[in-house]
Structures are given as structure tokens and as C-alpha cells.
Amino acid sequence: MAYRILHCGKSLSNYRLCLEHGIAGFTTRGPEQGDVIFLAVNYQKQTLCGLRARLGEPTDQQPWEDADRYVAAYRLIEVDYAVPFDLRFLADYGGRYWPLKFLQLAKAIQDEAAIQALNQAFDQYRSEQPIFPDQVPIDVASEIETSEDGLLEISPQELNQVLQEVPDAKIKVMGTFQTVRFKNETDSLRGLEVLVSENFYQLFPRYQPSHSLLIPENRLFLSAGLEARGEKPIKGIRSIPDALLIIYSGLAQQPFTIALIEYECFGESKTRSQDKSSYLNGQIIPQLMRFAAAFSIVTDKQIRDQTIKVWVNKIIEYVYASPDRIKLVSAWIQQLQPDLADQLIGREIDRALTLAFQQAIQIVVVIDDLSDEQKDTIANVIRSFKLESGDSVQFIPYIVRLEQRITVCETNAEYALSVQ
């Protein structure tokens, strides 16, 4: 267990969303379940803290506008509130450059005296209800200049002094890497889908093996066509995702979320911008739209219900084909309904899966190249599809690149530089 200060920079909006949703998001990996975090924000040139909590289960819920920045998010448990108080007293333990020592990248605090002082200060200002910084009077503002993320502005002339006082302020580079192309999507040795599937949970920490089930069976799921109404199917409107992910939320009202995963790769064959754009607009986006439409109210309810019925049956068959998978999914249901008889667990799995297809669908694309503008365009298109609950289908893009090692110089460091 580690103690960390999670700093929202100057975004009072992000601070508020963390409190309202009970979720903490991190832009770097390192924080783990069980860590204690103090939530802080820079407001009127003060660094204010009003929440202390322990990190619970990882979650894929990310309510912030800049959610793309966050590589991991956790639910907050054992939450305590305080009247927002200024953290500048930490200068007594970290010196002038205390923000670099205690706030930078939510690093674990190593100074036990600072941890004790944090807890004592928090207990002194404890509150029964959450209070936001703009709801309380603010003391005299600090004269120390801060950057957009609320940390100190360091001039080149100060750098040597900073590194003497806070040696870990500067990022230590583990090694250097060269970005190389995947061969294509499906190649058994250098294919994006193969390599990502084998390393899925290492690449995407927001999904945990204990709270999700990955079904990597390519072409197992096929959406129903017009024949569900006794009519002739139309070529090209049905969809087959590359994989399916069942995500367990731990919430009784919505136990599962269904993620339809599509692997796409420009690879070695599509290197020109024109080729990539044509493939994106002509193949990828229409395919993702078909995924979203299959469960959206834009599709005839009879066809939609037939797709859900078939897919739920295939998921249950997949679960019950393995004792480990039965144990995993049954444990989820038993956690939600401890008094449920064993013979009724299968029926409850069926009900929860059906509900997820009606109310909680994500379209996940894993691809080797995608610009921010393209992400936004696709997200807007996918979110225009509404589910039976009235919620939008969600779009989550992941860009995965293949890196070849050039050199490794510091194996204990956390960062590397890559060149493309």
C-alpha cells in the first residue's frame, strides 16, 4: 500500500467529477488497488485537498472530458471528505520544490513524516459532506508561479538545484525503442490481433481478469439479418466482431457491460495517408457503425432481439465449456445475490447478459494508427446510435504500436523513448 496525492491540475471540473462519481483517474501506470490517495486541485494559486480515499476495483468508467489522457481509473472506497485545505505545509517536508516531490505523476510518497502530517491535517478539516474549493473562502494566494498542471514552473537556471533537492523529478529513461510496423492484422507471427490478444490484460489495465471475460474467438458472433423476420437477408449489413469482452461492474442494477472488439491494422500494405484514409472511411467506420446499429433502436426490434438471444446463448455456451470460466462468472452473480440458489445462477447470467446488450454496449477498436481528429469523428458517429435505455453506444479507441528495442540502459526506470 502506498500514499499518493492525485493532482487534478487547474481543472476544478475534473476534481468535481472525481468526487461526484467516486472515481480516480491516472495518466500514468503505477497506482494500485489498495493505495490511499489525497485528491487535490490548484485553485486561485493554492493546492487544495478535500478528499481522502482508498483505490478500489479498476473501472472503465471515465467521466472526464479529457478521458483519453487517463491510462487507468479506479473506484474510490473508504471515502472521507474535508473542507478544502492548502497543502503548502508540505514545504516543511519537501522544501521549496515540494510539488515536484509529492505531486508529480501521483508518485508514491516516501516520507513517513509527510504522510503523517497529511493525515493529521485532513482529520483536522474533516467534513461529513463533500465541499468544493469554490464554496469556501480562500486564503492569501501563493506568489509561486505554477504551470497548467498546477506544478512549479522550473527555469533552466534552477534545474541543477532542483535535481539536487529532488533527484527523481527528472524522468529516468529505461531505454530507447524503434517503432516498426505490424505485418498486418492476422499474421500469426507479426499480426496486431495475435499479439494484442496474447497480451490483452497487460496492455489494457482498465480491464482486470478478475472482473472481465475475454472471448477472443474470431467470427463466433454474427448479428441477425432480415431473415429474423422471415425476409431475405441483404448482403453487407451484418457484422462479426473479432472478439467480445464481458465486463463485470459489481453493480446490481447493471452487472455487465459488453465490449465488441474490432482489430484493425494498416500494417505494411497501407503506408500512404490516402490509403489509410480510404480504408478508414470505406471499411473501418462502416464496420463499426454496423456493430453499433446491431443493438441500437435504429434496427428493427425483432432482428435486434434475435441477435441478442443468439449471442447470449453463445456466451453462455462459452462460459460453461470451462470450469474456470464457470467459477469466474458464477462468482460475480453470487457476489450480487448471495442468497441465490445455485441452480438459478445460469438463469441470472442470461438475464444480466440480455440487459447488457440492451443498455450497455461499447465499441472498442484496437488499431495501429489513428489521429485525434479521427477519434473524435468516429466517437460522434458511434454515439449517435441509441440503445433501448436511451443511452448512447460508447466508442473506445486504442492505438497499439510495435516497438523494437534499440538499447536498454536502466532496467529499474519506468520510461522509454521511442522513435518512428
Side-chain angles (χ1 to χ4, degrees), residues 189-201:
L189 298 177
R190 280 198 298 126
L192 179 144
E193 179 176 350
V194 174
L195 294 173
V196 170
S197 293
E198 290 175 352
N199 299 278
F200 187 86
Y201 287 109

Side-chain angles (χ1 to χ4, degrees), residues 369-388:
D369 191 19
L370 201 66
S371 70
D372 289 341
E373 291 78 9
Q374 290 167 335
K375 288 183 193 176
D376 291 340
T377 297
I378 299 174
N380 290 333
V381 171
I382 298 303
R383 288 170 187 160
S384 68
F385 291 91
K386 301 292 184 180
L387 300 169
E388 290 186 22

Side-chain angles (χ1 to χ4, degrees), residues 44-46 86 88 96 139-146 152-153:
Q44 294 192 4
K45 295 188 177 182
Q46 293 195 69
D86 194 352
R88 281 179 290 177
R96 170 178 168 79
D139 295 335
V140 178
S142 170
E143 297 180 357
I144 300 176
E145 291 298 322
T146 60
L152 290 177
E153 288 280 12

